[in-house]
Amino acid sequence: MCKQHENTDLLTVGIRKLIQEVPSSEKLLSETVCSMENEVCADRKCPNCGVDALEKYFDDTDMDREITYYQWLIVDGKVTKSRVTCEMHTARDELYLQYEKLSRHVYDAKRQHRELRVLKEGLKPGQIILHEDFSENYAIRQQGEIMAAHWCAEQITLFTAIVYYCPDNDSELQHISYAITSDELHHEKKSVYTFNKVILDDTQRRLPWDIKHVHYWSDGGSQFKNKFNFSNLIHHLDDFGSTADWNFFATSHGKGPIDGIGGEVKRSVRREFFFKGNLVVNNAREFYDAASNLNRKISILFVSKEEIHDLTEVLEQRWSNCKTVAGTHTFHHVKPSGATTVICARNSPFSGIHQATKEFVVTKEMIETTPTVDHEEKELQPDIPAHVPQDPVRQDVAVTGDYVLVEFITNKSKRLFVGQVLAQDRDQYDVTFLRARDSAHKKFAFPEKEDRSWVDAEQITQKMTVPTMDARHRYTFSDLTCVTD
């Protein structure tokens, strides 16, 4: 479910309990725009439409009346369905705010699916579409499992993908379904890079022509939508022998056939040993062996954590020189434009609709970082024990769960934002940002549309104390002295 859609529905339902004339959220949205096909209306720049159209539903209402409704909120770093109680005028203001933002979200969701459809219809030989995502990890269970085994069940990563292609100009669109199993449980940039390499290598062996260009499609999860992945696009021709662009669905709107692949693979293995009793699976390799025999229409591949480490070790130098792209979460199309830059756009361009683009530098300098297999060179490297980290994770800047002050430099000006650390990868931090809820910038809350980005350690200027939270889920920081938003 989409958090933004669900919260808008929950708020609308809560208000409708007291104001029965209020229609469904879909009808309310349509009343605030001239057309959802018009980007000007979706961006709330049209002078003829807007959320003021909803004022009529509150004309004869006691605005001091108490109202209760539910919202999906981030509380102490966890997503919970929380009960909200406030006065009607506060709920009305929140309704306006949510519908103000919902129009662009709905436009992006519909637009991206339409762009994918147009791309499929016009796909040429030499081009492929690679639609991918991580499936939920598979937890190994056994028939007749003892109680103690419940607490130490091993998990398996399952990465699913569909490759679309046209064999020739006269053929219809065809596809190859993939499921990669792995014992590497970290869903991040290294795994994504390695899995894509394995898929592209296998696909190339099956096709009658060389792959010239790859159109990647995925959701906007942080494992895909980050500066490291953007840097990989710049080096895609050197790494894989083809150019590429990356396209993102709107948040929580990337569901598709790949979700069925993960479900089918897991269901086939589970059915074999739970109901037939013909199978015992204890690790990722055994799961791969079983899934390969049980699924003839899905190409099952296995990638070990050692393969991921060996392939991406050289990429650490490339990634250490990456720069954050301001406003990453707002873009749904990224393509390389030079040796160090990428072009970003709010939507994919395949339907020919004109749109503004922005160019960003994502690599500080050109460095030779294409992975190579050179066994002689690797033998000259000193052996380092596995238990000794080569690049230890820093604990002095921040750890997962900390609230921090983050600095962004745009157009020679500095802006400071309050955020909470969700994950860490060496000197990189995955941060979700809060927004000020008062003019004095003293009270903050997590926005309905998650604002999330990877930042460098040097961008974190302050680690703050744990904030206090009021009944409206607004956070106050005792040691916050200066903030832009």
Side-chain angles (χ1 to χ4, degrees):
M1 299 291 289
C2 169
K3 178 183 176 183
Q4 194 163 349
H5 272 92
E6 188 65 13
N7 276 349
T8 305
D9 288 341
L10 290 170
L11 177 55
T12 304
V13 169
I15 293 177
R16 191 188 302 133
K17 290 179 180 179
L18 301 182
I19 307 177
Q20 297 181 356
E21 293 80 9
V22 172
S24 65
S25 56
E26 185 177 355
K27 180 66 165 60
L28 281 180
L29 179 62
S30 67
E31 292 182 9
T32 69
V33 293
C34 302
S35 170
M36 277 308 305
E37 301 299 319
N38 190 334
E39 189 173 9
V40 175
C41 294
D43 276 336
R44 300 302 187 189
K45 296 178 180 179
C46 175
N48 301 319
C49 60
V51 295
D52 291 341
L54 306 181
E55 183 65 34
K56 60 186 178 182
Y57 295 109
F58 299 93
D59 287 342
D60 301 322
T61 302
D62 180 4
M63 301 309 292
D64 294 325
R65 186 177 182 181
E66 189 176 83
I67 179 176
T68 298
Y69 60 94
Y70 288 91
Q71 293 282 274
W72 288 98
L73 302 171
I74 300 177
V75 181
D76 296 331
K78 299 180 180 179
V79 179
T80 60
K81 190 174 184 179
S82 305
R83 185 176 181 177
V84 179
T85 301
C86 62
E87 295 177 342
M88 179 60 78
H89 66 85
T90 302
R92 177 201 59 191
D93 293 344
E94 180 64 24
L95 186 77
Y96 289 177
L97 179 62
Q98 291 195 19
Y99 278 95
E100 184 81 18
K101 299 177 180 179
L102 183 63
S103 58
R104 180 72 211 200
H105 177 70
V106 172
Y107 176 87
D108 287 337
K110 293 182 177 180
R111 170 77 181 271
Q112 287 306 101
H113 279 284
R114 182 168 68 246
E115 294 292 340
L116 177 58
R117 184 170 61 252
V118 171
L119 178 61
K120 287 181 178 179
E121 293 172 353
L123 198 65
K124 305 294 184 183
Q127 304 174 351
I128 65 170
I129 298 172
L130 177 47
H131 184 185
E132 62 187 37
D133 196 7
F134 283 93
S135 181
E136 183 178 353
N137 282 2
Y138 180 82
I140 296 176
R141 298 296 182 192
Q142 306 293 352
Q143 189 177 37
E145 185 175 78
I146 64 174
M147 185 178 297
H150 176 78
W151 306 107
C152 57
E154 187 171 342
Q155 291 194 341
I156 298 168
T157 287
L158 200 60
F159 185 83
T160 56
I162 296 182
V163 173
Y164 297 96
Y165 67 96
C166 285
D168 53 61
N169 290 320
D170 299 324
S171 300
E172 294 184 354
L173 191 70
Q174 299 186 25
H175 71 273
I176 308 170
S177 300
Y178 286 100
I180 294 181
T181 62
S182 178
D183 54 354
E184 174 55 76
L185 300 182
H186 292 94
H187 299 179
E188 41 86 59
K189 59 182 182 293
K190 295 181 182 179
S191 300
V192 172
Y193 182 93
T194 307
F195 295 159
N196 281 336
K197 182 182 186 332
V198 171
I199 291 173
L200 290 176
D201 288 346
D202 186 83
T203 301
Q204 184 61 81
R205 288 193 291 269
R206 298 167 180 257
L207 298 181
W209 33 255
D210 291 337
I211 299 175
K212 301 297 184 182
H213 189 86
V214 181
H215 299 285
Y216 290 99
W217 283 83
S218 70
D219 61 25
S222 59
Q223 63 268 48
F224 300 114
K225 208 175 197 179
N226 58 64
K227 61 183 180 181
F228 312 110
N229 222 12
F230 298 166
S231 174
N232 291 338
L233 287 178
I234 293 175
H235 297 273
H236 202 277
L237 181 60
D238 294 329
D239 291 353
F240 305 116
S242 59
T243 55
D245 56 62
W246 206 296
N247 306 272
F248 303 95
F249 295 102
T251 303
S252 302
H253 288 272
K255 298 297 182 183
I258 54 173
D259 299 288
I261 295 175
E264 174 58 29
V265 171
K266 288 183 280 191
R267 184 166 50 250
S268 65
V269 175
R270 186 182 298 112
R271 182 173 56 239
E272 190 70 14
F273 68 75
F274 263 136
F275 300 106
K276 296 184 180 181
N278 298 329
L279 188 64
V280 174
V281 172
N282 288 304
N283 53 51
R285 171 61 75 173
E286 293 179 0
F287 181 91
Y288 159 75
D289 292 335
S292 299
N293 293 326
L294 296 170
N295 295 272
R296 300 302 181 186
K297 295 183 178 180
I298 301 174
S299 298
I300 313 294
L301 306 173
F302 177 79
V303 178
S304 68
K305 62 173 64 176
E306 290 77 18
E307 291 178 70
I308 294 174
H309 176 269
D310 291 343
L311 182 64
T312 59
E313 187 176 14
V314 68
L315 297 178
E316 292 293 350
Q317 185 182 11
R318 174 192 300 177
W319 291 330
S320 68
N321 285 273
C322 292
K323 298 182 65 175
T324 300
V325 173
T328 294
H329 70 282
T330 65
F331 299 121
H332 298 90
H333 175 76
V334 180
K335 66 177 182 180
S337 62
T340 61
T341 57
V342 295
I343 291 177
C344 302
R346 290 294 300 266
N347 299 107
S348 299
F350 307 113
S351 61
I353 300 176
H354 176 73
Q355 61 180 339
T357 60
K358 293 184 179 181
E359 188 169 13
F360 296 90
V361 176
V362 293
T363 302
K364 297 178 183 177
E365 58 185 21
M366 192 64 178
I367 299 175
E368 183 62 38
T369 56
T370 302
T372 58
V373 180
D374 190 337
H375 298 289
E376 293 183 1
E377 181 180 349
K378 292 189 67 175
E379 290 175 357
L380 297 176
Q381 299 174 356
D383 293 326
I384 301 177
H387 64 277
V388 178
Q390 299 183 46
D391 189 5
V393 173
R394 294 183 61 176
Q395 299 275 334
D396 57 322
V397 178
V399 296
T400 300
D402 282 348
Y403 289 90
V404 294
L405 195 61
V406 181
E407 179 184 81
F408 284 93
I409 300 177
T410 58
N411 296 328
K412 299 183 180 180
S413 65
K414 294 182 180 180
R415 304 190 68 188
L416 297 173
F417 297 89
V418 176
Q420 185 179 32
V421 177
L422 299 181
Q424 180 182 1
D425 186 1
R426 293 181 172 83
D427 286 343
Q428 305 292 329
Y429 296 83
D430 185 11
V431 178
T432 181
F433 292 95
L434 295 86
R435 286 289 178 264
R437 286 294 183 257
D438 64 339
S439 58
H441 290 75
K442 297 296 184 183
K443 296 183 181 296
F444 296 82
F446 289 99
E448 296 304 318
K449 184 175 182 180
E450 186 178 33
D451 186 0
R452 187 171 172 180
S453 178
W454 283 90
V455 302
D456 298 325
E458 57 264 27
Q459 291 180 254
I460 297 179
T461 63
Q462 180 183 350
K463 181 168 68 173
M464 297 179 294
T465 58
V466 177
T468 58
M469 185 177 65
D470 61 21
R472 295 172 62 185
H473 299 286
R474 297 181 303 181
Y475 296 82
T476 301
F477 299 87
S478 60
D479 54 346
L480 182 62
T481 57
C482 179
V483 69
T484 305
D485 195 3

